[in-house]
Amino acid sequence: MSLNRDQENIIKNINGPILVIAGAGSGKTRVITYRIAHMIKEIGIDPSKILALTFTKKAAREMKERISKMISIDELEKITLGTFHSTFSRILRKESHWLGYNPNYTIYDQQDSENVIKKILKDINVDINKTPREIIREISECKNNLYSKSLIKKKKSDSFAKIYEIYTKRCFQSNALDFDDILLYTNHLFLNFPNILKKYQEKFQYILIDEYQDTNFAQNVIIKNLSSKNKNVFVVGDDAQSIYAFRGANIKNILNFHVDYSEAKIFRLEQNYRSTNHIVQASNNIISFNKNQITKKIWTKNENGEIIKIYSALSDKDEAEYIANYIFSVIKKNKSFQYKNIAILYRTNKQSYIIEYYLKKKNIPYKIYGSISFFKRKEIRHLLYYFRVIINPNDEESILYITNKIIKNKNTVKQLIKLSNKKNIYDVIKKIDNYEIFTKKTKEKLKKNFLEIEKFRIKSKILDAYTIAKHIVYFLLELEKNYHYTDFQYILRNIFYYTEEQKKLKKSEDNSLSGFVQYLYVEKDIDEFNNENYEDKVSLMTVHLSKGLEFSIVFITGLEENLFPSRSSISYQYKIEEERRLFYVALTRAQKIAILTYTKYRFLWGKKTKNIPSRFINELHKKFIHIENEKVKHISTLLENKKFLPENSGVIKKGIIVFHKNFGIGTVIKLENFNKIAIVNFMKVGKKRILLQLNKLIIYRK
DNA sequence: ATTCCTTCACGCGAG
DNA sequence: GTGAAGGAAT
């Protein structure tokens, strides 16, 4: 397939700032990859001058793969291509001394950060009514928006500012950065050291950014600084697919692009090449419910295709079984059809379990994406903590975790934490004999462990990542009798691949354990280990992870109020809009067939919950959908040929049709108690008394 | 000092 | 359902 005129035009405009607003399936990645190839092949731009940034590891890998088909490996290796975090983490490792950090710094994940906050809350007496998780979130918000100290005090509170300050200090002591620090410190670096900024401005003369709608303020500032000299910034985005607001993504970056870059040229890509006309129209229909959007008309020359199927399942088991049966018969009917063209999407990772069970039952090969469960496994965590402390002896979280496993006594650990508030924990353990508070036995254990780690540290300087990792695994198996070698096989195999790959690329400096850990945390998508992507398997993943991908058949599961849209989004209009964009992303993954499922009952949090269908199902116009097994009248039947009023634009009166977030669609039968209570007959749940002061009823039709 | 047991809170997404 | 936390029992 060649490029269309619009795409061609975009590729040939090399200099100056460019914003491309690209709808789903309009060949966005194609434009970026062709452009990079064009820059190198036709214009003769030095690939080492090119910086290409993506948001997720998966997108980075995808882009790399696609470019590799157009240019030589040598040229590809010279391009700086990766996620924001990986790219700037690399830069920070090179330049860390400017900030007083060591290059072997640890990256704290959310769990680590939370533990640090917990310790702080115990250590100091602050008046703050927030959970560690909430605090971490707010710290993240401050960092992503580059709030100054005084602004933090103003926007949050004095006690919060104090916690923030101690948190920063502790991370510094541990020679650790959290993910947000990677952006924050890159900004510090560029702001406070003009020579460093200049160096990178000269290196990265051409900057390309995918999924620009997902960038946050801190990222935007980095890019503005980096590009201020050459002004060659090329960004591609779709506001309708902005789904990372929770980590600071800001659509304003797209809306204000022409303000940030005054000579910006703006292009639009609105032709969809991916999906059937039905799916394109249905997606347009869905997204039109969002008030906050750049209006665009996505269109396609593709055939109408099949109508969207909706399956109303009785339970999560029924839902999973339906999906498994459907896949089974599709493959059976059409022998040439492949598993890898099918995706099952869900809102939350935990929904995957039951689906897996039924796929296994039907012998359907599948692959689950999303590394969360892998990193949460305690033996893997334990191993990674050893890796980390060997690389960075100041990594307090690792030391405490490991110590916790060796010293089971909580009081002892508490004492250690107390000491760590004042002194570097590593030095405390090193000189443990000086501390009277511990018993002889405890001291012996601590000393022994300390020496083991020291030994590994020396070894790690000469051995490659795989060899040292094997040593540590054997050590761990000795230490914890309930661990099994098979628990570690997967990660060991991947360390082996990593080591081999580095040798092949002759990057022996990255061949170390430290190289691998960096790689694991910010570079490599753990899902892509083992080169399994060439295998013919059904893909299971969250909607978030599916962005940028496409499949012939897409199942969107769990379309229930409180799940998709998620429970915490329901009471906020702007959060609902983000959920709707998420649904839009899910729907636009489908090339040929989209199947939406929801359940009446689902096991969640150990309890059986009763659900009503997602509002997104109701929003789809009747002409796009076919409800497989539901007799209930669809809202679009009610609305046919009638004017649609999406907002609460009137008074609740007898006879009008309303929408309630929990009960769905219903008709107002009468009003009581001076119009404070409405008796509504809901289609799904029957008559209910609704207290109007507490419950919002959205008027669908007068 | 250590293990065992009950209770309680929590619950989304990614790097 | 899970993991953390704290109390009870050994």
Side-chain angles (χ1 to χ4, degrees):
Chain A
M1 197 173 86
S2 61
L3 298 169
N4 69 26
R5 194 172 293 169
D6 288 338
Q7 292 172 332
E8 192 95 17
N9 204 6
I10 291 166
I11 281 163
K12 291 192 172 149
N13 262 285
I14 295 302
N15 292 309
I18 293 176
L19 163 66
V20 179
I21 296 179
S26 63
K28 183 167 57 74
T29 312
R30 200 184 166 71
V31 164
I32 298 190
T33 51
Y34 271 65
R35 184 181 162 94
I36 292 174
H38 176 81
M39 285 162 77
I40 296 169
K41 290 277 173 219
E42 309 296 325
I43 317 243
I45 289 168
D46 176 0
S48 69
K49 302 277 184 211
I50 297 174
L51 170 65
L53 294 171
T54 66
F55 215 71
T56 61
K57 299 171 181 177
K58 197 185 271 302
R61 195 189 63 87
E62 165 103 3
M63 195 188 285
K64 203 166 191 172
E65 229 164 57
R66 286 170 73 164
I67 298 175
S68 73
K69 289 175 186 148
M70 293 182 275
I71 62 175
S72 73
I73 292 193
D74 266 2
E75 288 166 327
L76 180 67
E77 285 298 321
K78 280 185 193 154
I79 301 175
T80 306
L81 191 162
T83 62
F84 275 87
H85 288 90
S86 81
T87 304
F88 295 112
S89 172
R90 271 167 187 252
I91 289 179
L92 286 179
R93 279 193 205 277
K94 274 206 195 97
E95 315 291 348
S96 58
H97 58 281
W98 295 104
L99 302 162
Y101 266 89
N102 283 320
N104 59 353
Y105 66 77
T106 301
I107 294 172
Y108 273 179
D109 62 20
Q110 194 184 320
Q111 186 64 59
D112 295 318
S113 301
E114 257 180 69
N115 291 340
V116 175
I117 295 296
K118 277 180 199 162
K119 274 187 286 181
I120 295 171
L121 291 178
K122 275 183 192 157
D123 186 42
I124 62 165
N125 226 349
V126 280
D127 177 33
I128 195 159
N129 187 22
K130 282 181 177 135
T131 64
R133 182 174 293 228
E134 283 165 345
I135 294 172
I136 272 303
R137 245 169 206 241
E138 291 187 24
I139 290 178
S140 173
E141 179 199 335
C142 294
K143 288 179 178 176
N144 284 327
N145 290 302
L146 305 179
Y147 290 161
S148 66
K149 239 181 190 173
S150 54
L151 196 59
I152 291 169
K153 269 188 193 165
K154 212 171 111 191
K155 283 221 175 201
K156 305 291 173 184
S157 66
D158 281 359
S159 22
F160 175 83
K162 196 174 170 195
I163 294 170
Y164 184 106
E165 198 186 327
I166 300 172
Y167 174 77
T168 306
K169 221 170 85 192
R170 288 199 86 123
C171 287
F172 183 73
Q173 266 175 18
S174 298
N175 194 31
L177 301 182
D178 64 27
F179 283 111
D180 304 311
D181 283 331
I182 294 174
L183 306 176
L184 182 72
Y185 285 118
T186 303
N187 268 307
H188 279 198
L189 189 71
F190 288 165
L191 198 72
N192 298 323
F193 303 93
N195 282 339
I196 304 291
L197 175 62
K198 207 175 150 208
K199 179 169 124 191
Y200 287 100
Q201 281 175 337
E202 273 158 22
K203 175 156 175 59
F204 300 130
Q205 292 181 8
Y206 299 91
I207 301 171
L208 301 98
I209 306 169
D210 194 11
E211 308 283 10
Y212 191 67
Q213 75 281 356
D214 290 331
T215 52
N216 59 38
F217 184 75
Q219 289 165 326
N220 199 33
V221 174
I222 292 174
I223 297 305
K224 261 196 267 183
N225 281 325
L226 266 184
S227 64
S228 65
K229 198 165 159 239
N230 297 299
K231 311 242 189 250
N232 298 322
V233 196
F234 176 82
V235 307
V236 182
D238 178 8
D239 63 297
Q241 294 184 68
S242 168
I243 55 175
Y244 286 103
F246 69 88
R247 48 155 337 294
N250 197 338
I251 307 184
K252 278 186 195 149
N253 290 341
I254 282 197
L255 302 177
N256 292 337
F257 188 80
H258 65 283
V259 180
D260 290 339
Y261 303 92
S262 53
E263 322 94 277
K265 285 185 197 142
I266 296 172
F267 294 90
R268 279 164 180 269
L269 292 177
E270 296 185 325
Q271 182 179 359
N272 178 303
Y273 293 97
R274 177 185 294 151
S275 309
T276 63
N277 190 37
H278 263 131
I279 291 168
V280 170
Q281 295 311 323
S283 322
N284 281 342
N285 166 215
I286 277 292
I287 206 68
S288 71
F289 281 81
N290 273 6
K291 277 197 293 186
N292 213 335
Q293 56 161 334
I294 303 172
T295 338
K296 50 183 159 326
K297 277 202 183 75
I298 308 299
W299 59 278
T300 185
K301 284 182 189 163
N302 294 343
E303 56 179 9
N304 269 337
E306 284 188 41
I307 219 156
I308 295 169
K309 283 191 186 63
I310 294 176
Y311 181 75
S312 157
L314 200 60
S315 66
D316 42 5
K317 284 180 191 162
D318 180 21
E319 178 183 51
E321 198 173 9
Y322 169 78
I323 293 168
N325 285 339
Y326 189 99
I327 295 173
F328 187 81
S329 59
V330 158
I331 298 283
K332 208 170 162 190
K333 243 187 267 164
N334 188 347
K335 287 272 175 353
S336 65
F337 199 79
Q338 290 185 298
Y339 291 115
K340 66 177 176 195
N341 296 327
I342 303 173
I344 303 169
L345 309 182
Y346 33 80
R347 179 66 180 82
T348 64
N349 278 304
K350 60 175 172 257
Q351 287 165 254
S352 68
Y353 177 80
I354 188 90
I355 300 170
E356 263 185 273
Y357 178 81
Y358 280 92
L359 291 178
K360 267 187 216 150
K361 227 173 153 181
K362 281 268 172 192
N363 281 325
I364 295 167
Y366 66 88
K367 180 166 166 54
I368 292 203
Y369 291 81
S371 50
I372 290 156
S373 55
F374 177 74
F375 279 101
K376 271 191 180 162
R377 277 160 56 184
K378 63 173 184 294
E379 62 277 4
I380 296 298
R381 243 189 131 71
H382 202 167
L383 181 67
L384 290 181
Y385 277 127
Y386 268 100
F387 286 0
R388 279 166 43 170
V389 77
I390 287 162
I391 296 161
N392 170 19
N394 293 320
D395 181 341
E396 198 176 294
E397 286 313 301
S398 297
I399 295 172
L400 286 175
Y401 184 94
I402 287 169
T403 314
N404 228 325
K405 289 275 176 177
I406 288 163
I407 310 289
K408 303 262 165 73
N409 186 314
K410 282 194 178 141
N411 282 327
T412 310
V413 177
K414 261 184 202 159
Q415 292 291 345
L416 276 171
I417 292 174
K418 219 173 176 182
L419 287 167
S420 80
N421 292 334
K422 313 236 153 49
K423 266 189 93 135
N424 184 311
I425 186 83
Y426 186 75
D427 289 334
V428 172
I429 295 178
K430 203 170 171 178
K431 294 174 188 145
I432 197 74
D433 278 331
N434 299 347
Y435 294 89
E436 298 296 322
I437 37 175
F438 303 111
T439 62
K440 213 174 168 186
K441 217 169 142 191
T442 307
K443 282 182 185 176
E444 286 307 314
K445 275 187 184 175
L446 286 172
K447 260 197 279 188
K448 192 176 159 234
N449 186 50
F450 173 78
L451 289 173
E452 298 281 4
I453 292 170
E454 280 303 293
K455 260 197 271 173
F456 282 131
R457 190 191 318 285
I458 294 161
K459 279 192 202 166
S460 75
K461 299 225 160 84
I462 40 173
L463 299 177
D464 67 37
Y466 178 62
T467 318
I468 185 78
K470 238 171 38 183
H471 282 283
I472 301 167
V473 165
Y474 287 130
F475 166 77
L476 259 185
L477 290 172
E478 246 339 274
L479 192 74
E480 297 274 338
K481 296 292 183 220
N482 52 345
Y483 288 172
H484 302 285
Y485 183 75
T486 47
D487 297 337
F488 300 106
Q489 254 176 346
Y490 179 71
I491 191 159
L492 277 179
R493 197 161 65 230
N494 294 313
I495 301 174
F496 178 74
Y497 287 144
Y498 168 81
T499 315
E500 289 297 300
E501 205 179 303
Q502 298 304 312
K503 277 181 193 161
K504 246 186 255 159
L505 294 170
K506 297 199 180 74
K507 286 185 177 170
S508 53
E509 75 270 22
D510 285 340
N511 206 7
S512 61
L513 190 63
S514 148
F516 175 74
V517 172
Q518 155 85 2
Y519 178 78
L520 189 63
Y521 273 77
V522 289
E523 308 277 346
K524 184 75 171 184
D525 188 345
I526 199 152
D527 299 328
E528 308 310 334
F529 276 150
N530 300 342
N531 288 327
E532 272 189 20
N533 45 320
Y534 298 110
E535 290 178 31
D536 185 27
K537 291 177 175 176
V538 174
S539 298
L540 272 71
M541 64 184 89
T542 61
V543 182
H544 281 90
L545 272 186
S546 76
K547 188 150 76 165
L549 306 179
E550 54 186 27
F551 302 90
S552 294
I553 302 178
V554 171
F555 292 91
I556 308 173
T557 67
L559 276 162
E560 295 133 34
E561 288 290 301
N562 291 328
L563 184 61
F564 196 176
S566 79
R567 180 160 150 181
S568 45
S569 70
I570 279 196
S571 6
Y572 303 92
Q573 178 70 21
Y574 73 97
K575 284 190 181 177
I576 282 293
E577 294 211 348
E578 171 133 336
E579 295 287 313
R580 195 175 281 113
R581 290 193 293 270
L582 197 55
F583 179 63
Y584 176 81
V585 167
L587 193 55
T588 52
R589 298 311 97 199
Q591 294 166 312
K592 300 252 183 280
I593 295 173
I595 300 162
L596 319 183
T597 63
Y598 66 88
T599 70
K600 287 201 179 80
Y601 296 95
R602 177 183 294 280
F603 266 100
L604 276 180
W605 319 308
K607 264 187 273 172
K608 200 177 183 184
T609 56
K610 193 166 192 237
N611 313 305
I612 62 159
S614 168
R615 68 191 67 192
F616 303 142
I617 288 183
N618 288 327
E619 287 166 4
L620 280 169
H621 194 276
K622 196 184 85 178
K623 67 186 176 196
F624 301 127
I625 59 171
H626 173 251
I627 301 179
E628 296 274 275
N629 56 344
E630 178 77 318
K631 291 188 189 81
V632 180
K633 261 195 194 167
H634 189 264
I635 178 68
S636 58
T637 316
L638 298 169
L639 294 175
E640 214 160 43
N641 303 324
K642 299 280 189 326
K643 194 170 158 32
F644 184 71
L645 300 162
E647 275 306 298
N648 221 349
S649 53
V651 188
I652 306 282
K653 277 187 295 196
K654 186 178 164 183
I656 66 171
I657 292 167
V658 291
F659 178 80
H660 181 276
K661 65 178 183 181
N662 292 327
F663 305 134
I665 311 293
T667 315
V668 178
I669 302 170
K670 64 171 179 176
L671 291 160
E672 281 181 4
N673 202 358
F674 303 104
N675 296 345
K676 279 182 190 145
I677 293 169
I679 311 293
V680 184
N681 191 10
F682 290 104
M683 289 194 297
K684 298 275 165 72
V685 292
K687 279 185 200 170
K688 291 268 176 196
R689 284 164 63 86
I690 303 294
L691 199 58
L692 293 173
Q693 280 166 330
L694 299 177
N695 293 280
K696 209 171 174 186
L697 290 177
I698 294 167
I699 297 174
Y700 260 102
R701 184 165 68 85
K702 286 182 187 171

